[in-house]
Amino acid sequence: MSQPAAAHTAPLRCTVVVPVYNGARTIQRCLDALAAQTLPAEEFEVIVVSDGSTDDTDAVVQRWFDKNGHSHWRLVRQANAGPGAARNHGADEAQAPLLLFTDADCAPHPDWVAAMLNVFADPSVAGAKGVYSTRQTAPAPLFVQAEYEDRYDRMLGQERIDFIDTYSAAYRRHVFCENGGFDTIFTTASVEDQELSFRIAAKGYRLVFTPDAKVEHIHDENLAEYCRRKYFIGFWKALLTRWHPERVVQDSHTPQVLKVQMLLWGAILGLLPVALLGTIQPIFQLAGWGLLLALLVFLITTLPFVTKLARRSWRLAALGPVMLAARSLSLGLGYVVGTVHFAGTLPGQREPVIPGWKRLIKRGMDILGALIGLAMSTPFILIAALAIKLDSPGPIFYVQTRIGEHGRPFRIVKLRSMTYDADRKLDQLINLDELPEPAYKLPNDPRVTRVGSLLRRSSLDETPQFWNVLRGEMSLVGPRPEAEQLVQRYNDHQRRRLLVKPGLTGPMQVSGRGDLPFTDRLRLELDYIEHYSLRRDIEIILRTLPAVWVGKGAR
């Protein structure tokens, strides 16, 4: 039950949501830190969500509210359902356009709220991630802090990220709500924050890293706590990677070397019993050498991080390999157990857009098709290049930024079919801000050259995009890549186009091409995404050549 919210004299800029379960020892520290923010108290609200706490948490929070007199700070109670559900509850109660999240065992720095708000001055930002700090001096928490800072180093300078932890997080409320908030299947603090950020980033929303938004945390105090936390992260990550198989390869937070170390320890554990047999059976002695090699490679992979630790202290550097081994073993064991636990069924309603094995096959088809396409089209490209140069001044190739899978920008390559100054003339022909939908077509476009009209009718202008396919920026089949200024005007539903790689051909190309209204094109492309199959890809490829030959809808 929530307490009634007080009326506010000015609009709230943000809502801070703090989930807590049996946090009587830490929640007051968190509230004190929020009360000490540099942002005026009347500009933000705080909602503490007690997730079925059975200790004195509720009483501690209520006494703090009564003592400090913040009329728009509220305690909300719910039956125990996990931190994700608690945060969703807080978001439902929120009255501000921005949602900030931290945990009950965190103490935000005085400028934390202000630092988060500064990021959202950029309207393209949909979510933000801050950082941990700590005052602990014991070896285990110092290692944990160094581990986080190593990952922060990876994110510095990145234009966008895909991984937001909720200890220091923020989202635009409408984006959070339109995407359903946190998935409540994660009933313990684990990877529910990763899953939400992966899901939102997959639609091309821009998530950013802001190292100025700091919260002080109490890290794992010993090796046992550290291993237990990593085990459960690995356990739930098994489900997460089934829903988002593309993140197995890479995300903006996880170092690639960690995956190598997990594989090495899998090999070490597999070779160990065989190597022990080698002490009594000479035929197995080779396994002992393999075991030593795997251990040596593991130690080599730890050197970059251990070197960073040495800058802090040699004691911490000496502990590094042990902690890294414990991390790999705990995550790996949790992942194996989670894989078995979730085998045969996918809980909840989430399904991967393209399952992992289909992604591998699709990528193989793309590489093979791109190589064949480049080989076959090169003579025609050379002839077209000569015609372009003779027909009009300007470069042979046209390069433009388009938006690809998960909103990642890339440079698309086409044979130039318009005048060299076509982009500058666009504003004279159409006002993008007045479009009824994020798409346009210009019949009899005056910018198209004589040769360009022939290239477009035959789709020969698109053939250099086999290079984009080979690079992995596009696929042979998928939604057509759209210009950045149009994607910025997408609503949440339209952003589902960005869940897969854009295609050289696709459902639009075999169903009318440029003659299709945007709503029909979107319906076809979303149907392709939601009912993806390799067989459908092959059918679209086979239907593309007749569609190009007929030339209907070519622009």
Side-chain angles (χ1 to χ4, degrees):
M1 171 179 281
S2 62
Q3 299 171 351
H8 306 294
T9 57
L12 293 168
R13 297 181 63 186
C14 67
T15 299
V16 179
V17 178
V18 184
V20 58
Y21 173 73
N22 289 350
R25 291 189 304 110
T26 61
I27 187 63
Q28 183 170 330
R29 171 173 166 267
C30 178
L31 294 173
D32 287 341
L34 288 171
Q37 293 296 300
T38 57
L39 191 75
E42 64 270 14
E43 294 187 19
F44 70 100
E45 65 175 345
V46 174
I47 299 177
V48 177
V49 185
S50 178
D51 183 31
S53 296
T54 57
D55 64 356
D56 293 333
T57 295
D58 295 3
V60 170
V61 172
Q62 192 58 60
R63 282 197 300 270
W64 192 96
F65 287 165
D66 293 341
K67 177 181 177 181
N68 290 275
H70 292 286
S71 59
H72 51 281
W73 291 33
R74 290 177 281 153
L75 171 64
V76 175
R77 301 177 179 89
Q78 68 173 33
N80 181 251
R87 295 187 192 103
N88 291 346
H89 193 163
D92 290 339
E93 296 277 337
Q95 300 180 47
L98 295 177
L99 296 174
L100 275 60
F101 297 100
T102 191
D103 294 329
D105 59 355
C106 293
H109 286 210
D111 59 350
W112 177 69
V113 173
M116 281 296 193
L117 293 182
N118 287 340
V119 174
F120 289 92
D122 183 343
S124 72
V125 174
K129 166 189 168 67
V131 303
Y132 266 148
S133 68
T134 188
R135 295 185 183 181
Q136 295 165 281
T137 58
L142 283 179
F143 174 86
V144 173
Q145 181 64 29
E147 183 182 28
Y148 278 108
E149 290 180 7
D150 181 59
R151 299 185 179 199
Y152 300 152
D153 289 343
R154 288 170 46 82
M155 294 185 174
L156 285 173
Q158 293 188 26
E159 178 67 18
R160 57 175 64 221
I161 61 174
D162 55 30
F163 195 117
I164 292 182
D165 306 273
T166 45
Y167 55 78
S168 179
Y171 287 102
R172 293 194 188 275
R173 185 171 181 267
H174 73 90
V175 173
F176 181 92
C177 294
E178 286 172 351
N179 285 275
F182 296 96
D183 196 302
T184 56
I185 190 173
F186 301 99
T187 53
T188 62
S190 53
V191 296
E192 75 283 357
D193 46 5
Q194 298 175 34
E195 195 281 326
L196 174 63
S197 54
F198 287 168
R199 189 166 11 112
I200 289 177
K203 290 184 176 180
Y205 287 107
R206 185 172 170 227
L207 311 179
V208 299
F209 175 53
T210 172
D212 295 332
K214 299 178 181 179
V215 298
E216 186 180 297
H217 184 244
I218 302 171
H219 295 325
D220 305 314
E221 296 184 344
N222 53 58
L223 181 61
E225 286 185 10
Y226 180 76
C227 290
R228 183 178 184 277
R229 179 170 61 86
K230 291 294 184 182
Y231 170 84
F232 281 106
I233 289 175
F235 177 85
W236 287 105
K237 198 111 178 179
L239 178 59
L240 176 66
T241 53
R242 291 190 69 180
W243 287 352
H244 303 275
E246 70 281 3
R247 302 301 180 187
V248 175
V249 178
Q250 187 176 14
D251 62 61
S252 61
H253 184 267
T254 308
Q256 295 293 77
V257 71
L258 172 56
K259 301 164 190 176
V260 175
Q261 291 170 349
M262 290 171 64
L263 291 173
L264 284 170
W265 273 102
I268 290 168
L269 293 178
L271 288 169
L272 182 60
V274 183
L276 291 175
L277 284 175
T279 61
I280 55 176
Q281 291 290 337
I283 194 174
F284 295 118
Q285 287 180 354
L286 190 61
W289 291 105
L291 178 63
L292 290 174
L293 179 62
L295 284 168
L296 177 61
V297 173
F298 170 76
L299 289 173
I300 291 172
T301 65
T302 67
L303 287 178
F305 186 59
V306 170
T307 301
K308 282 189 173 183
L309 294 177
R311 299 188 190 119
R312 295 170 177 257
S313 78
W314 286 105
R315 181 186 177 193
L316 200 58
L319 180 66
V322 176
M323 296 293 289
L324 291 172
R327 179 180 74 175
S328 303
L329 284 166
S330 301
L331 285 169
L333 179 60
Y335 192 87
V336 169
V337 174
T339 299
V340 173
H341 178 80
F342 296 116
T345 182
L346 286 174
Q349 300 300 314
R350 305 205 189 282
E351 298 283 349
V353 177
I354 304 179
W357 67 273
K358 288 185 179 180
R359 290 182 69 88
L360 290 175
I361 296 175
K362 184 175 176 66
R363 181 59 185 147
M365 291 169 55
D366 287 344
I367 294 173
L368 179 61
L371 290 172
I372 294 173
L374 285 171
M376 294 180 63
S377 63
T378 296
F380 299 100
I381 291 175
L382 293 175
I383 295 171
L386 179 61
I388 290 169
K389 292 301 290 184
L390 293 174
D391 181 53
S392 63
I396 294 170
F397 294 102
Y398 173 72
V399 181
Q400 184 188 42
T401 298
R402 296 288 179 94
I403 302 302
E405 183 182 30
H406 299 173
R408 289 189 288 265
F410 70 99
R411 303 285 281 173
I412 198 172
V413 184
K414 304 174 67 173
L415 288 169
R416 183 172 60 84
S417 60
M418 292 186 176
T419 57
Y420 70 93
D421 57 352
D423 286 342
R424 291 200 298 270
K425 291 180 177 178
L426 180 61
D427 290 342
Q428 303 171 18
L429 300 172
I430 193 168
N431 187 338
L432 295 178
D433 292 329
E434 294 181 356
L435 292 173
E437 54 189 13
Y440 66 87
K441 53 185 178 181
L442 299 173
N444 303 314
D445 192 330
R447 300 173 300 165
V448 178
T449 63
R450 290 173 299 175
V451 169
S453 63
L454 296 175
L455 294 176
R456 288 185 163 209
R457 188 186 185 286
S458 63
S459 292
L460 188 60
D461 62 321
E462 309 283 1
T463 52
Q465 291 164 40
F466 282 118
W467 175 246
N468 293 113
V469 174
L470 193 61
R471 285 170 54 90
E473 297 161 335
M474 293 177 60
S475 178
L476 290 176
V477 183
R480 281 300 293 163
E482 197 57 87
E484 188 173 17
Q485 61 266 39
L486 292 177
V487 172
Q488 291 172 352
R489 292 164 170 80
Y490 280 2
N491 61 33
D492 188 79
H493 178 66
Q494 293 160 351
R495 283 179 174 272
R496 289 185 58 80
R497 293 186 72 248
L498 306 177
L499 294 177
V500 298
K501 288 181 182 179
L504 186 57
T505 185
M508 183 187 80
Q509 282 71 20
V510 298
S511 304
R513 299 166 80 180
D515 286 342
L516 285 177
F518 179 75
T519 52
D520 291 346
R521 169 185 158 193
L522 180 67
R523 176 180 52 80
L524 286 170
E525 290 175 337
L526 293 186
D527 180 75
Y528 166 81
I529 293 170
E530 292 164 2
H531 302 94
Y532 175 78
S533 72
L534 293 168
R535 177 179 177 180
R536 195 170 186 182
D537 270 3
I538 295 171
E539 290 175 349
I540 289 174
I541 292 172
L542 294 176
R543 291 173 57 193
T544 296
L545 190 57
V548 170
W549 180 262
V550 172
K552 182 181 179 182
R555 297 284 186 224

